[in-house]
Amino acid sequence: MVIVGGGPAGSLLLHILHNAGIDAIVLERQTRDYVLGRIRAGVLEWGTVEVLRANGLGRNMDAEGHVHDTINIAWRGSELLTVDTNLQMGRQMMGYGQTRIQKDLYDASDAVGSEIVFEADDVAIHDIETEAPWVTYCHNGVNERIDCDYVVGCDGFHGISRQTIPKSIRTEYLKEYPFGWLGILAETPPVPYLLYANHHRGFALCSSRNPMLARFYVQCELTDSVDDWSDDRFYEELTARLPADQVALISPAPSIEKSIAPLRSYVAEPLRHGRLFLAGDAAHIVPPTGAKGLNLAVADVHYLSQALMAVYAGNTSGINRYSDVALRRVWSAVRFSFWMTNLLHRFPGQTAFEQRTQEQELRYISSSPAAQQSLAEQYTGLPFETLGAD
Ligand code: APR
Ligand code: PHB
């Protein structure tokens, strides 16, 4: 089997299949250091934690991760809404950065000898509608060809796999939001819980990577560049959007990374065409507000690996359900992330009326255990479905 893309989706799938004795190879366009250098989100649903543990990837996460059992939302500059997910749903979240997960995955691949080809150029997928697909690529100037049973596209939003599915078969759904997130990493003690903010100046978020590494975000203009944002300006804006007692928890320190990301929701359906399957960002993107991107990639891989293991054991029913089952979870996360994004951001041209209705929704959640339970249920992650049999 060929897996295109060695991000979290591709390298986790490789690891699970390799453990199951299924022959697979990952073709990754970038260098290992480049992939390991990318700063991404860091909140894991408990289902994700369990998938990682079940596949022998829990040791560092359990030692270094930070278990969260609350989601906190500051609003109107003075109110604080705390949703205790353990109380509401009996579930928690794990704070553990994607960068660390990626390192654990590459280290696991080294340890077991599974194969990842870095700097694989010009990857192309052929004859996907036949029983004998093949993949070509160029490595160290040499053209290579692999004949395989299946191809899995885990090559992210800008990858080539999705484009292999004819346009007449693919349906794409896209929503772009009129703002971005400016994020920084700073070596300073983080706020000890997840803290989101709705403020008339815009959204803000305080998260963490470890006890001495904080991750902060503020909503910014899509046209902004990081050069427009000195550290001083960043902290001024972040602290202006939070209540004073929360600001007291932040000791500003120089940023060691600073980047701007646009927010969008995107889904491509179906996740299967012939012998090609899509998983992770190759098929869907969510805005980071609900912390779902990595969790969805892991859920896709969980479903797909189960289905593929069944295929090699002689049962093809699960693989025929993969696209439908995975897409149900994708749409649930797409809807939830869209809702959280609408709840917490300041939209261009937002009227005082709209600001008040947003605040009223936050007031309602503050006072309603039912609303808190719904938020907690979705944030901590709905249970996985079973792929079932025909
Ligand atoms: N050939 C080979 N590899 C490719 C190609 C290509 N043509 N195009 C892209 N890639 C690689 C990228 O270099 C990247 O390492 O595919 C990988 C895709 O990784 P991600 O973008 O991290 O996507 P995924 O593994 O699905 O993980 C989803 O990442 O973007 C975040 O929020 C998202 O947390 C989520 C997670
Ligand atoms: C992060 O830690 O980077 C993070 C946390 C929660 C989010 C998004 C990003 O919703």
Side-chain angles (χ1 to χ4, degrees), residues 156-375:
F157 186 60
H158 301 288
I160 49 95
S161 302
R162 186 174 70 243
Q163 318 299 339
T164 311
I165 303 180
K167 271 208 158 115
S168 57
I169 289 168
R170 226 182 327 137
T171 309
E172 295 181 293
Y173 302 85
L174 174 67
K175 168 149 188 74
E176 289 175 302
Y177 301 85
F179 36 73
W181 277 18
L182 169 64
I184 69 162
L185 266 182
E187 288 171 324
T188 184
V191 174
Y193 36 79
L194 277 165
L195 177 62
Y196 293 86
N198 170 308
H199 192 272
H200 68 84
R201 297 178 70 96
F203 168 90
L205 169 60
C206 302
S207 183
S208 61
R209 288 294 173 273
N210 65 48
M212 262 313 288
L213 194 56
R215 180 80 169 145
F216 300 117
Y217 300 92
V218 293
Q219 174 184 348
C220 67
E221 302 286 331
L222 272 175
T223 48
D224 283 358
S225 105
V226 287
D227 301 331
D228 300 327
W229 286 86
S230 64
D231 287 356
D232 285 349
R233 180 178 172 207
F234 181 90
Y235 283 111
E236 236 170 72
E237 201 52 54
L238 176 70
T239 53
R241 298 177 185 190
L242 297 170
D245 52 346
Q246 305 300 316
V247 171
L249 300 169
I250 298 172
S251 310
S255 63
I256 56 171
E257 194 265 352
K258 194 181 278 170
S259 53
I260 293 182
L263 271 69
R264 62 184 150 223
S265 306
Y266 171 84
V267 184
E269 297 182 351
L271 303 185
R272 175 190 190 169
H273 179 60
R275 290 192 163 232
L276 172 69
F277 299 90
L278 301 178
D281 278 19
H284 43 76
I285 298 279
V286 286
T289 327
K292 290 290 176 223
L294 174 64
N295 292 297
L296 274 185
V298 170
D300 287 354
V301 167
H302 167 71
Y303 288 134
L304 186 56
S305 57
Q306 285 199 334
L308 288 168
M309 287 190 282
V311 166
Y312 286 100
N315 177 354
T316 54
S317 63
I319 205 77
N320 295 329
R321 293 177 194 276
Y322 166 68
S323 182
D324 287 347
V325 171
L327 278 170
R328 274 200 286 276
R329 190 178 187 87
V330 167
W331 276 107
S332 168
V334 166
R335 194 212 66 82
F336 177 67
S337 310
F338 168 75
W339 174 77
M340 284 265 294
T341 302
N342 284 325
L343 179 68
L344 297 180
H345 290 78
R346 172 98 189 143
F347 283 73
Q350 185 165 328
T351 61
F353 173 86
E354 287 156 344
Q355 176 76 20
R356 289 300 292 263
T357 56
Q358 254 186 358
E359 289 173 1
Q360 182 53 37
E361 184 156 11
L362 288 161
R363 185 173 292 115
Y364 164 63
I365 299 169
S366 305
S367 64
S368 163
Q372 291 187 16
Q373 196 177 30
S374 170
L375 198 166

